[in-house]
Amino acid sequence: MDSEALRKFSALHPRPAGLTLHYGTAGFRSAAQQLDHVVFRMGLLAALRSKAVTATIGIMVTASHNPEDDNGVKLVDPLGEMLHPSWEEYATQLANAEEQELQKVITEICQKAAVNLHKDASVFIGRDTRPSSKKLSQSVIDGIQVLGGQYHDYGLVTTPQLHYMVCCQNTQGQYGKATLEGYYEKLSKAFMELIKQSHCSGELQRHLKIDCANGVGALKLSEMKPYFPQEVLIHIYNDGTKEKLNHLCGADFVKVHQKPPGGLDMKPNERCCSFDGDADRIVYYYQDTAGHFHLIDGDKIATLISIFLKELLAKVKQNFKMAVVQTAYANGNSTRYLQETLKVPVHCVKTGVKHLHHKAQEFDVGVYFEANGHGTVLFSKAAETKIRQLVKEEKDNEKREAAKMLENMIDLINQTVGDAVSDMLVIEAILALKGLSVQQWDALYTDLPNRLLKVQVADRRVIDTTDAERRALTPPGLQEKIDALVKKYKLSRAFVRPSGTEDVVRIYAEADTQENADALAHEVSLAVFHLAGGKGAPPQP
């Protein structure tokens, strides 16, 4: 390690005094002007991780659905998955080290993780469209180069595209070509093959309005447009030319506020969807003829995909194990529909993509979506191999056709991470193949009315949970109080969990009516305020 270079470059990316940041599920997120030292040091860490696993590592500069003045950085592991948890700790240590301690911390990481500094390092870099992203990705490059690493800067890409490139590179092209053209070609080919198998005489031209949150998704969708068949007409809104990133638009805004984004004029019964700022989440919605807004969130997306996959799996007659993975935020009626009507096993895990992804890997076909619209489908190696074999060798026409559809689904889905572009194409293909309108999809089940609230507390760590965050262990008396409140309302449930990023406690409640869901959420928020050290004035109804 070149101590002189490390000292010189570290001085160019000084750490602001007293600033402590933690690497969480979303990597580091903060106000952009506080991040220069962090991204430089994550360049160092990416080079170390690459040397440790002798593979290419990804590093993405984005703060997803946060306001435009924020930014963030996260690392991508060799198969396009999220950074290994043990390295999240190293990331936090490195980001918070005093300048004069930097070399010592790097040496400690090398010892703990058995990193050979003489090995080569290779890092792929991507960034979103925030004004601060270009400069920050330059700081990442400084970090990589200090440790003698090679890098490829993809510039502006969606987060899922970077995950995809990393996976392609490390599977020696088995997963696909590690270029944007490779990504567009693979997805559009699988999509067109699927649509070709559609025998229904539904609408020939499929119009879809897409709110791109004034983010990178707009640029990448425009690049991809020439690859789409003429039957698919996508109309891009909030493309970043006029307004600020994520301002009054995007998947997070639509999900939280339960209303359409600004900048998109909706006519009755038109199919619309929203991406988030870095295009790894998607939600659909429409307005009915009476002017009511209908949100189709991650739970309903998972349900549509599950119906389709279950039918195909039944036709190929293999003993594949399929399951849906949800978090406690999944609407109770979606869980009921999946388990009771579709007869698909459902598993609940802690909030956070890494928990869902990990659980989904236990099945031949694992569907996972968070209610916020982040999700994908994972196919086991064995299932994928068998499906591809059936396409080549199966004599029975119906079985072979079903296997062919499954093969195209495998190629269309970005299995590395939730991907708004890929998920959108999956949904559009299924709706076309099944001849479903957006209203028919929405009518599969009716969401239970629900309410999300948050309460500011002095220290979020006073709340500890169990049973996939559905029950509170501490503070004493809180869960008993919640249980008593839940008993007052029909079809109700409620849970509380500490935020992963700030000193707030998040509250979720659902019940038979919106009035009851709101009342239950408010009563639970008061219990949290009084028992868990609320700050400021008590919550108002």
Side-chain angles (χ1 to χ4, degrees):
M1 178 168 30
D2 184 342
S3 317
E4 194 44 51
L6 180 64
R7 214 174 15 254
K8 190 179 106 190
F9 277 97
S10 178
L12 293 175
H13 305 286
R15 174 171 165 257
L19 178 70
T20 306
L21 295 168
H22 290 275
Y23 193 103
T25 303
F28 290 107
R29 293 249 177 106
S30 181
Q33 71 269 21
Q34 296 185 323
L35 281 172
D36 185 56
H37 71 294
V38 173
V39 292
F40 165 69
R41 293 170 182 205
M42 288 309 100
L44 296 170
L45 192 76
L48 292 174
R49 179 73 178 146
S50 176
K51 289 170 191 275
V53 292
T54 49
T56 296
I57 294 297
I59 192 158
M60 183 73 194
V61 177
T62 181
S64 190
H65 55 276
N66 280 33
E68 186 169 273
D69 296 338
D70 286 355
N71 217 323
V73 62
K74 56 182 173 186
L75 272 70
V76 178
D77 254 357
L79 291 179
E81 70 278 62
M82 296 168 87
L83 182 63
H84 192 277
S86 62
W87 280 72
E88 288 183 6
E89 281 178 46
Y90 302 152
T92 300
Q93 283 166 10
L94 199 55
N96 297 317
E98 295 295 340
E99 223 152 298
Q100 61 277 17
E101 302 280 294
L102 211 49
Q103 183 161 356
K104 184 166 150 259
V105 174
I106 291 172
T107 307
E108 280 170 11
I109 293 171
C110 290
Q111 284 165 347
K112 281 187 200 152
V115 179
N116 177 353
L117 281 174
H118 300 296
K119 282 200 165 158
D120 290 339
S122 154
V123 182
F124 282 179
I125 308 164
R127 67 174 192 271
D128 71 10
T129 54
R130 289 162 199 274
S132 58
S133 292
K134 192 167 176 84
K135 187 174 175 298
L136 289 173
S137 62
Q138 192 51 55
S139 304
V140 168
I141 292 171
D142 284 353
I144 297 165
Q145 290 187 313
V146 165
L147 291 179
Q150 301 292 314
Y151 68 90
H152 182 86
D153 184 0
Y154 281 93
L156 293 167
V157 286
T158 69
T159 295
Q161 284 176 334
L162 186 77
H163 283 255
Y164 175 92
M165 309 292 183
V166 171
C167 183
C168 292
Q169 181 68 12
N170 290 314
T171 55
Q172 286 71 50
Q174 265 179 296
Y175 193 65
K177 282 207 295 259
T179 62
L180 279 171
E181 293 70 37
Y183 172 92
Y184 298 143
E185 279 164 10
K186 179 180 172 182
L187 267 63
S188 57
K189 179 171 174 282
F191 177 71
M192 292 206 276
E193 289 285 323
L194 264 175
I195 296 273
K196 247 191 346 214
Q197 293 175 277
S198 154
H199 306 300
C200 68
S201 56
E203 45 176 325
L204 284 169
Q205 291 199 309
R206 303 189 59 80
H207 288 268
L208 175 67
K209 290 185 169 176
I210 306 166
D211 152 34
C212 288
N214 291 311
V216 68
L219 299 176
K220 300 297 129 181
L221 262 188
S222 304
E223 284 175 15
M224 197 172 179
K225 255 186 168 176
Y227 294 85
F228 290 143
Q230 54 268 50
E231 297 86 28
V232 177
L233 293 171
I234 58 170
H235 308 277
I236 297 172
Y237 294 81
N238 297 323
D239 64 359
T241 52
K242 297 190 216 39
E243 292 291 334
K244 277 186 137 179
L245 175 70
N246 296 323
H247 181 60
L248 304 180
C249 61
D252 199 57
F253 173 84
V254 173
K255 168 75 179 153
V256 171
H257 296 279
Q258 309 263 330
K259 65 178 186 188
L264 185 150
D265 59 321
M266 285 173 74
K267 295 186 177 62
N269 295 333
E270 280 187 329
R271 206 166 55 253
C272 305
C273 69
S274 284
F275 293 1
D276 69 337
D278 63 339
D280 64 358
R281 293 182 186 185
I282 183 170
V283 294
Y284 269 70
Y285 44 92
Y286 68 97
Q287 212 161 5
D288 62 26
T289 40
H292 295 302
F293 176 77
H294 295 253
L295 174 71
I296 300 179
D297 65 4
D299 299 336
K300 249 183 199 155
I301 293 173
T303 305
L304 178 73
I305 294 173
S306 300
I307 290 170
F308 185 67
L309 290 176
K310 186 161 193 269
E311 286 171 3
L312 293 178
L313 292 171
K315 284 179 185 165
V316 296
K317 298 185 169 65
Q318 299 295 317
N319 230 342
F320 291 139
K321 265 174 67 179
M322 175 176 161
V324 176
V325 187
Q326 296 183 325
T327 71
Y329 286 113
N331 195 279
N333 277 354
S334 78
T335 313
R336 272 187 205 98
Y337 180 86
L338 286 163
Q339 286 177 323
E340 293 165 19
T341 307
L342 262 195
K343 304 276 190 281
V344 169
V346 178
H347 298 266
C348 185
V349 297
K350 278 168 69 171
T351 305
V353 180
K354 58 183 175 188
H355 303 297
L356 290 135
H357 194 90
H358 189 71
K359 186 71 185 172
Q361 287 173 321
E362 295 176 17
F363 309 98
D364 289 312
V365 182
V367 180
Y368 76 79
F369 269 83
E370 290 186 291
N372 65 25
H374 186 287
T376 186
V377 184
L378 304 184
F379 293 86
S380 71
K381 263 281 150 268
E384 186 179 328
T385 307
K386 186 70 196 162
I387 288 162
R388 293 197 195 274
Q389 185 192 344
L390 287 171
V391 173
K392 287 198 187 86
E393 299 168 10
E394 181 53 57
K395 301 284 184 284
D396 179 270
N397 272 351
E398 195 192 21
K399 259 195 197 181
R400 193 177 59 252
E401 279 287 289
K404 185 91 191 94
M405 276 196 189
L406 282 168
E407 181 176 52
N408 285 319
M409 283 292 277
I410 289 169
D411 289 334
L412 184 53
I413 287 164
N414 185 345
Q415 293 185 58
T416 65
V417 72
D419 181 337
V421 175
S422 154
D423 289 339
M424 173 192 86
L425 294 173
V426 166
I427 292 161
E428 289 302 304
I430 295 173
L431 292 176
L433 285 161
K434 293 189 70 59
L436 285 175
S437 69
V438 68
Q439 297 83 346
Q440 290 168 313
W441 172 20
D442 187 33
L444 289 172
Y445 62 83
T446 306
D447 274 328
L448 280 172
N450 57 81
R451 179 64 63 206
L452 276 163
L453 294 176
K454 53 186 183 182
V455 175
Q456 291 232 298
V457 290
D459 180 3
R460 66 181 185 269
R461 289 169 300 191
V462 298
I463 294 210
D464 190 22
T465 63
T466 184
D467 187 25
E469 300 178 311
R470 289 177 288 191
R471 297 189 68 76
L473 291 170
T474 64
L478 179 60
Q479 187 58 52
E480 290 73 13
K481 182 74 180 153
I482 295 171
D483 290 341
L485 292 169
V486 164
K487 283 202 179 94
K488 290 166 52 178
Y489 302 98
K490 282 191 191 140
L491 293 176
S492 66
R493 70 184 180 103
F495 67 89
V496 303
R497 57 179 285 275
S499 157
T501 49
E502 48 187 336
D503 277 322
V504 299
V505 175
R506 301 192 190 281
I507 289 140
Y508 178 88
E510 59 185 33
D512 58 341
T513 66
Q514 191 62 56
E515 203 181 348
N516 286 346
D518 289 349
L520 176 57
H522 175 63
E523 288 171 16
V524 171
S525 73
L526 282 174
V528 167
F529 183 85
H530 293 302
L531 293 170
K535 266 173 75 174
Q540 296 304 307

